[in-house]
Amino acid sequence: MTPLSEDMKSVLRRWNSGALDEIERARVSRPAGVHLTGTAGSGKSELRRELSRLGGSAVHFTDSMADAAVVMIGVDASAPVGRVEVEQWRAALESTPVVFVVNKIDAHRHWREVVTADSDSVAECVPRAVECTFHPISVRLARTGRESGDAAMSAESGIGAVADRLGALLLQATALGSQRKYAAAVQDCATGARASIVARARAVTGGSDTAELRARRAQLVGERDNLGGDRRALLHNRIQRVRVESLHAAAEDFRALVAEVKRTIDGSGRAELTHLPVHVAESARGARNRADAALTARLRAVETDLGLTPLQEESSVADDPLDIGEPSRRRGIEDVVMIVVGASAGVGLGRLVVSPMALVPAWAVANTVITLVLGGALAWWITRSRALVADRAHLRGWTQESLARVKSSVEQRLLSRILDAESMLASAVATADRDAVAGIDVALAEVDAELRRLADHRSALLSACDRDLSALERGLERFRGPDRGVFVPREPVHFSPARVEPLDEPVRRSQ
């Protein structure tokens, strides 16, 4: 027997671990006997009995198809066999001589077309069939001829030709049976190894092992391209919002403070008005601190949205005193006029009150005294009341002016802090973007290195697959000789009492 090359052995050992053991079992096998199989309803049992009862026949049947020297397949003449049935017999056709017996030709008129169709199906589906012959027979005619002693009918049934063919193949199997099994096992194992190699090469070239890396690379490139623009746009948007919200909140706070101070002035007396500047200064400082703390919180929220570490420190303005000055008032001509008018009004009111007493002459002196005292008291009260009203009006103006000045300074401070924070955050974003781009570049370099490594591995693996396929082809060349594919189907049998058809005439050969 032709030995396997060392290259082929190594390839089979890598891609089909049990191949060498299977080939060795086929090499040392000694096929013997006939294995009978076939389609349902083809009369296999009757065929076996007739062959066993045939005089001078030495046919020995076996139940193992792998150990049989000849495989006999019985089919029905009513219809051709399908591809499914032929595929079931592929292993036997490629390793063992096969005898197809088409039974019941006496019952079906178109059995010749069935035999032709069966031979065509086998030739098409199993081009590497070892040796295959087709025999149209009738088991019923053989049984009738045997029972009636009609030799012509027995000969016309075709059973004798089948027995002769089986005997010739069994004699031939003594010399070629093991070799055919061995060559078929080599071919089958090589086919399995080739399928494994091709599947592995397709899996490698399909890119499934690099799909995840390529997706990761595309993601990193997208992140690098969109890294700077998104955060800069977000920074600009949030800083503008912080500016609007901070200024609006500070304005609302000072408006509420002005309204509260006005209400306090309207309800305060002269003694309470002396403490009003201190109260206004404390309230203004509280409004300034609240605006500063709110801005710090908003800027920290911007840092969080940008993914930066906290950069804003607590404002140091909380403990700074706020000097808004004292209300200064100089007495002018309006104060003198107010005193004179108040005194005149007081005297006039006093005279009006005591005018009824002037009708009594005895009260003339008392009337004068009472008029002076009452007029002086009313003049003093009116003068004090007018002075209080003037002081309130002066404090209202001073408060509004002072708070407006404080509001302007607070807004200026807020805008200055916002500008400084915007500059600081822009610098931090730029630094973070540079660091992120550097990190992405490092990750891209790692991904590219892994892709190059996989590409080199894929190239080496494909080269190894090509070498293994070439080694298989070179090894199989030893088993492709002129004795590897003899396919001998049969011509149809003509039922005629004057002529018995020869059963060894070849009609098709398939390599």
Side-chain angles (χ1 to χ4, degrees):
M1 295 184 185
T2 304
L4 294 176
S5 63
E6 292 299 326
D7 291 343
M8 189 173 185
K9 285 182 180 180
S10 62
V11 172
L12 292 176
R13 192 177 294 111
R14 280 194 299 271
W15 297 98
N16 193 349
S17 58
L20 295 180
D21 295 336
E22 182 179 350
I23 293 173
E24 181 61 21
R25 285 194 298 269
R27 189 182 67 83
V28 298
S29 65
R30 295 296 179 263
V34 178
H35 177 75
L36 178 59
T37 184
T39 59
S42 59
K44 299 187 293 293
S45 300
E46 296 180 359
L47 174 62
R48 181 168 182 168
R49 284 196 297 269
E50 290 300 323
L51 288 174
S52 300
R53 293 173 179 176
L54 194 63
S57 176
V59 177
H60 170 68
F61 290 95
T62 179
D63 295 332
S64 175
M65 182 181 295
D67 297 332
V70 180
V71 174
M72 185 168 56
I73 301 175
V75 297
D76 200 299
S78 61
V81 295
R83 292 178 176 270
V84 177
E85 289 83 1
V86 175
E87 288 295 332
Q88 293 176 355
W89 303 324
R90 175 183 292 274
L93 288 167
E94 291 182 348
S95 62
T96 310
V98 176
V99 176
F100 270 90
V101 289
V102 184
N103 192 17
K104 302 180 183 179
I105 60 175
D106 58 321
H108 301 286
R109 180 179 302 177
H110 303 290
W111 58 267
R112 294 177 178 84
E113 290 80 358
V114 172
V115 172
T116 303
D118 288 346
S119 63
D120 291 340
S121 296
V122 172
E124 181 180 356
C125 296
V126 191
R128 293 197 304 268
V130 173
E131 187 173 354
C132 182
T133 56
F134 282 79
H135 297 265
I137 66 169
S138 174
V139 176
R140 188 179 65 84
L141 289 180
R143 185 179 65 252
T144 303
R146 177 177 55 77
E147 292 175 352
S148 64
D150 190 345
M153 184 177 295
S154 297
E156 195 171 349
S157 67
I159 292 294
V162 171
D164 294 340
R165 182 61 179 169
L166 291 176
L169 291 175
L170 289 173
L171 289 176
Q172 186 182 16
T174 305
L176 298 178
S178 297
Q179 183 176 354
R180 286 171 172 173
K181 297 282 186 181
Y182 172 69
V186 171
Q187 183 67 41
D188 183 65
C189 294
T191 301
R194 183 186 295 109
S196 300
I197 295 172
V198 172
R200 178 58 175 163
R202 286 178 178 174
V204 171
T205 55
S208 58
D209 55 341
T210 61
E212 184 176 355
L213 287 174
R214 294 187 182 280
R216 173 62 176 163
R217 189 181 191 282
Q219 179 184 0
L220 291 174
V221 171
E223 290 179 359
R224 185 180 61 183
D225 294 340
N226 301 326
L227 187 61
D230 294 342
R231 294 215 292 184
R232 284 193 295 269
L234 179 62
L235 172 62
H236 178 74
N237 177 271
R238 294 305 306 273
I239 286 295
Q240 296 301 322
R241 179 174 297 180
V242 166
R243 179 180 290 111
V244 172
E245 292 177 352
S246 299
L247 294 180
H248 177 73
E252 286 295 319
D253 200 2
F254 276 98
R255 183 192 63 79
L257 179 59
V258 170
E260 179 187 358
V261 171
K262 285 182 178 181
R263 289 193 299 270
T264 303
I265 291 174
D266 292 340
S268 299
R270 186 178 300 275
E272 295 172 349
L273 289 179
T274 58
H275 302 289
L276 184 65
V278 178
H279 172 69
V280 171
E282 292 294 331
S283 300
R285 189 172 72 171
R288 182 195 63 180
N289 295 340
R290 287 194 297 271
D292 211 59
L295 177 59
T296 301
R298 292 188 180 97
L299 292 178
R300 285 185 175 177
V302 173
E303 294 171 356
T304 302
D305 293 340
L306 294 174
L308 301 175
T309 57
L311 302 175
Q312 299 298 321
E313 299 179 355
E314 290 291 343
S315 176
S316 60
V317 77
D319 299 330
D320 294 343
L322 181 64
D323 186 12
I324 62 175
E326 292 291 335
S328 60
R329 182 182 178 189
R330 295 177 60 187
R331 298 290 179 177
I333 189 64
E334 66 276 4
D335 296 320
V336 176
V337 172
M338 182 182 63
I339 293 172
V340 173
V341 171
S344 175
V347 172
L349 287 175
R351 288 178 60 84
L352 181 64
V353 170
V354 299
S355 59
M357 299 176 62
L359 299 177
V360 182
W363 289 3
V365 176
N367 185 17
T368 302
V369 175
I370 293 172
T371 300
L372 293 175
V373 172
L374 185 59
L378 289 175
W380 178 82
W381 179 81
I382 291 174
T383 302
R384 295 281 293 179
S385 299
R386 295 281 295 179
L388 179 60
V389 171
D391 289 341
R392 286 177 177 176
H394 178 71
L395 283 177
R396 286 193 195 97
W398 173 82
T399 300
Q400 189 169 358
E401 181 182 356
S402 299
L403 291 180
R405 187 170 61 253
V406 173
K407 175 186 174 184
S408 176
S409 65
V410 169
E411 289 179 348
Q412 181 181 3
R413 173 178 172 78
L414 293 179
L415 290 175
S416 177
R417 285 194 61 194
I418 290 172
L419 289 176
D420 294 341
E422 184 176 8
S423 176
M424 186 184 304
L425 290 174
S427 177
V429 166
T431 303
D433 289 344
R434 286 193 298 270
D435 295 341
V437 168
I440 291 175
D441 290 339
V442 171
L444 280 174
E446 294 176 354
V447 172
D448 291 339
E450 183 66 15
L451 287 174
R452 287 192 296 270
R453 187 189 67 79
L454 290 177
D456 295 340
H457 175 69
R458 179 170 59 251
S459 177
L461 184 58
L462 291 177
S463 299
C465 290
D466 290 339
R467 289 194 300 269
D468 290 346
L469 288 175
S470 301
L472 284 178
E473 291 299 324
R474 290 193 303 269
L476 289 175
E477 288 296 332
R478 301 184 178 187
F479 298 89
R480 291 171 182 167
D483 59 340
R484 253 313 273 143
V486 180
F487 184 83
V488 187
R490 290 291 303 136
E491 283 284 355
V493 174
H494 299 280
F495 285 91
S496 172
R499 176 178 178 269
V500 177
E501 179 182 353
L503 300 178
D504 56 350
E505 180 181 354
V507 297
R508 181 180 296 272
R509 182 179 300 274
S510 175
Q511 294 292 335

